Amino acid sequence: MSRNGPLALSFHALVVIFMLAPLVVVCLVAFTPENTLSLPTSGFSLRWFEAVFERADFLDAFHNSLILAFSSATLATLIAVPAALAITRLHFPGRDFLNALFLSPIIIPHLVLGVAMLRLFALMGVSGSFSWLILAHVVVITPYVLRLVLAAAVGMDRSAEQAAESLGAGRVSLFCRITLPMILPGVAGGWLLAFINSFDEVTLSIFVTSPATQTLPVRMYVYATESIDPMMAAVSALVIALTVVTMVVLDRVYGLDRVLVGKQ
């Protein structure tokens, strides 16, 4: 029995269309010459893209989002890798509690976390600090890295580690030359997923950002409450284009199959 019959292919096509249709519509609206959110019917225009690059607040917010996503994803990875190795290889009291603690931000609504961190930062007197904003994002994106690294660590063959250890390899050398390369797809995929989630995070960021540390999603949200024009579509189209270019470059240089599923 064929697994890719007409019914299955039709279903897959509908799913793909359902997922891509909103992105296509947003990209088309970004080229409208009109002053309202509408599809371009009389021609295409770049006026809204020019408007985006003329807005210093959007450029600063984009810069903040890049730094925030890169920093928080890197810190989350540095935390998740040793935590995942300890959870999968060591047996100690509280191991299950530690695992649940790291993964708890996934099930806690970000609205609740945002309100709690807003109160905590106010009591500590660090409201509006970019460094503490990074730490707030680390809390909510660490579970994504941890899950992928846990999967990579559980599925790896430890015979190479045992052979290297029997030949006198030290712990640092063993980790850098054997363990890390074997779990690298999980680490890279986790970092990428954490970067995307941090860059897109808006619910938590609304509560813990300040005008000086405003991220791009928060700036877009604030602008959408003030005005409804195609400039939001232009910003969205630019982000979509940047994401596509990044994924293509990553696929050509390293391979998305290796990053996301660990295929060798």
Side-chain angles (χ1 to χ4, degrees):
M1 184 176 181
S2 176
R3 295 184 179 180
N4 294 318
L7 183 60
L9 292 176
S10 300
F11 174 77
H12 294 158
L14 288 175
V15 171
V16 172
I17 293 174
F18 179 79
M19 294 177 61
L20 295 182
L23 302 181
V24 174
V25 171
V26 167
C27 292
L28 288 176
V29 171
F31 290 94
T32 183
E34 307 296 333
N35 293 324
T36 58
L37 292 169
S38 60
L39 293 174
T41 56
S42 58
F44 292 89
S45 173
L46 298 176
R47 58 176 295 197
W48 297 111
F49 291 98
E50 296 175 356
V52 172
F53 288 104
E54 291 174 356
R55 294 288 299 263
D57 52 346
F58 275 92
L59 297 179
D60 291 340
F62 177 73
H63 182 257
N64 289 338
S65 290
L66 283 181
I67 296 178
L68 174 62
F70 181 85
S71 302
S72 58
T74 302
L75 286 176
T77 303
L78 293 176
I79 295 172
V81 170
L85 294 177
I87 291 172
T88 55
R89 300 185 176 187
L90 302 179
H91 297 278
F92 55 90
R95 186 182 66 167
D96 293 337
F97 171 78
L98 181 64
N99 187 28
L101 179 64
F102 274 115
L103 298 178
S104 61
I106 292 181
I107 62 175
I108 300 176
H110 289 188
L111 176 64
V112 175
L113 288 174
V115 174
M117 290 185 180
L118 173 64
R119 180 58 178 167
L120 175 64
F121 292 170
L123 292 175
M124 297 176 61
V126 294
S127 299
S129 170
F130 193 75
S131 298
W132 285 93
L133 175 61
I134 293 175
L135 294 179
H137 274 233
V138 169
V139 171
V140 298
I141 65 175
T142 297
Y144 299 101
V145 190
L146 183 63
R147 291 306 301 168
L148 290 183
V149 179
L150 280 173
V154 169
M156 69 173 290
D157 184 3
R158 300 192 61 185
S159 59
E161 287 183 323
Q162 294 169 354
E165 190 173 7
S166 66
L167 294 174
R171 291 184 179 273
V172 176
S173 178
L174 184 66
F175 174 78
C176 295
R177 296 188 178 186
I178 305 296
T179 307
L180 183 58
M182 295 183 71
I183 64 172
L184 185 59
V187 175
W191 186 93
L192 181 62
L193 191 60
F195 180 92
I196 294 173
N197 277 275
S198 176
F199 189 91
D200 291 341
E201 174 59 41
V202 60
T203 306
L204 171 72
S205 299
I206 287 177
F207 291 95
V208 294
T209 58
S210 66
T213 61
Q214 205 169 63
T215 62
L216 183 61
V218 174
R219 185 67 194 96
M220 293 174 65
Y221 175 81
V222 173
Y223 185 84
T225 62
E226 301 170 349
S227 175
I228 301 179
D229 58 43
M231 191 167 72
M232 286 296 92
V235 175
S236 301
L238 290 173
V239 173
I240 292 171
L242 180 62
T243 303
V244 171
V245 170
T246 302
M247 299 297 283
V248 170
V249 172
L250 184 62
D251 182 55
R252 295 297 183 182
V253 174
Y254 191 74
L256 287 179
D257 52 352
R258 297 178 63 189
V259 171
L260 298 179
V261 299
K263 183 178 178 181
Q264 299 299 324

